[in-house]
C-alpha cells in the first residue's frame, strides 16, 4: 500500500510504501514519467519512504507503483497512486458587494476550496491590488474601482494555482 495514495499537481512529498521482501537498495517507479522519484529510503523489509514529485503538467489519474530489488525481483501495486485533478473552488458571497467609482476597499470572498495563491478578477476597470488567503473558505481582496469603470453588475472569478476556477455571477456592483 501507499500512504498517502494520492497527490496534487506540482507537489513534492514523501510516500510510504508498505509491502514485503524489500531489500536495502530497491528502486521505485510509477508507470508515468511525470511522477518522479527523487530518492528511496529503505526503512525495513516491509517499509520504504519515497521522495515523490508530481509535475504541474501531469495528467490526473491512477498509476501503478513498482518496487524492484537489486536482484530484479519486483512487485507492482496496480493503480496504487492517484494524481489529483485541479480543485474546483466555489464563490458564494462577496462582502461588501458594491462600491462607488474611484474607491479603494477590501472585500471578503466566501466559498470553498480556495488555494493559497489564487488570482481574482472583477472585470474591466477594477484593479486587484492584493489577494490575501485567509483559509480555504475565505479570501480578502483589496480592489480599486477606477473612476472610469462602467456602472453595473460584475462577475467575480477566482482561479486557483492548479487552474481550477469558479465565477460568482453578478457578485459585485459598481454604483
Amino acid at each position: 500500500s501507499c500512504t498517502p495514495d494520492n497527490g496534487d499537481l506540482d507537489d513534492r512529498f514523501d510516500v510510504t510504501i508498505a509491502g514485503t521482501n524489500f531489500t536495502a537498495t530497491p528502486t521505485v517507479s510509477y508507470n508515468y514519467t511525470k511522477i518522479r522519484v527523487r530518492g528511496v529510503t529503505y526503512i525495513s523489509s516491509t517499509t520504504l519512504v519515497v521522495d515523490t514529485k508530481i509535475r504541474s503538467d501531469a495528467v490526473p489519474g491512477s498509476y501503478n507503483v513498482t518496487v524492484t530489488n537489486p536482484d530484479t525481483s519486483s512487485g507492482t501495486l496496480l493503480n496504487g497512486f492517484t494524481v489529483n485533478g485541479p480543485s474546483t473552488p466555489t464563490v458564494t458571497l462577496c462582502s461588501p458587494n458594491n462600491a462607488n467609482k474611484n474607491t479603494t476597499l477590501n472585500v471578503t470572498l466566501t466559498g470553498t476550496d480556495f488555494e493559497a495563491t489564487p488570482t481574482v478578477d472583477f472585470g474591466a476597470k477594477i484593479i486587484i491590488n492584493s489577494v490575501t488567503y485567509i483559509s480555504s473558505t475565505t479570501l480578502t481582496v483589496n480592489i480599486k474601482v477606477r473612476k472610469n469603470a462602467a456602472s453595473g453588475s460584475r462577475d467575480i472569478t477566482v482561479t486557483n494555482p492548479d487552474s481550477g476556477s469558479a465565477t460568482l455571477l453578478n457578485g459585485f456592483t459598481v454604483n
Side-chain angles (χ1 to χ4, degrees):
S1 68
C2 291
T3 306
D5 64 356
N6 66 87
D8 296 327
L9 300 173
D10 199 28
D11 204 2
R12 184 175 176 176
F13 50 93
D14 287 338
V15 174
T16 300
I17 298 177
T20 59
N21 301 316
F22 299 146
T23 59
T25 57
T27 60
V28 174
S29 63
Y30 299 92
N31 70 320
Y32 185 49
T33 59
K34 294 183 181 181
I35 306 173
R36 299 216 172 130
V37 173
R38 305 292 234 171
V40 179
T41 302
Y42 173 85
I43 304 299
S44 71
S45 64
T46 60
T47 306
L48 303 173
V49 176
V50 182
D51 181 0
T52 302
K53 168 69 176 157
I54 301 174
R55 290 180 29 171
S56 61
D57 60 346
V59 175
S62 295
Y63 299 94
N64 299 339
V65 182
T66 300
V67 176
T68 305
N69 285 325
D71 67 2
T72 70
S73 62
S74 66
T76 299
L77 179 59
L78 298 177
N79 298 315
F81 189 81
T82 300
V83 174
N84 300 323
S87 62
T88 304
T90 63
V91 185
T92 56
L93 181 67
C94 176
S95 179
N97 65 356
N98 67 85
N100 294 324
K101 295 177 184 184
N102 203 27
T103 303
T104 299
L105 71 151
N106 285 327
V107 297
T108 299
L109 299 180
T110 304
T112 61
D113 294 320
F114 297 144
E115 293 181 358
T117 57
T119 58
V120 178
D121 182 30
F122 279 70
K125 308 293 184 187
I126 298 180
I127 298 166
I128 307 300
N129 294 317
S130 65
V131 178
T132 303
Y133 173 86
I134 305 300
S135 71
S136 64
T137 61
T138 307
L139 301 173
T140 299
V141 185
N142 182 267
I143 64 172
K144 164 76 174 171
V145 181
R146 296 185 64 179
K147 64 183 176 184
N148 58 347
S151 296
S153 295
R154 303 296 186 92
D155 296 343
I156 303 167
T157 300
V158 174
T159 303
N160 283 334
D162 66 8
S163 301
S165 69
T167 300
L168 178 60
L169 299 176
N170 302 313
F172 188 80
T173 301
V174 176
N175 298 324

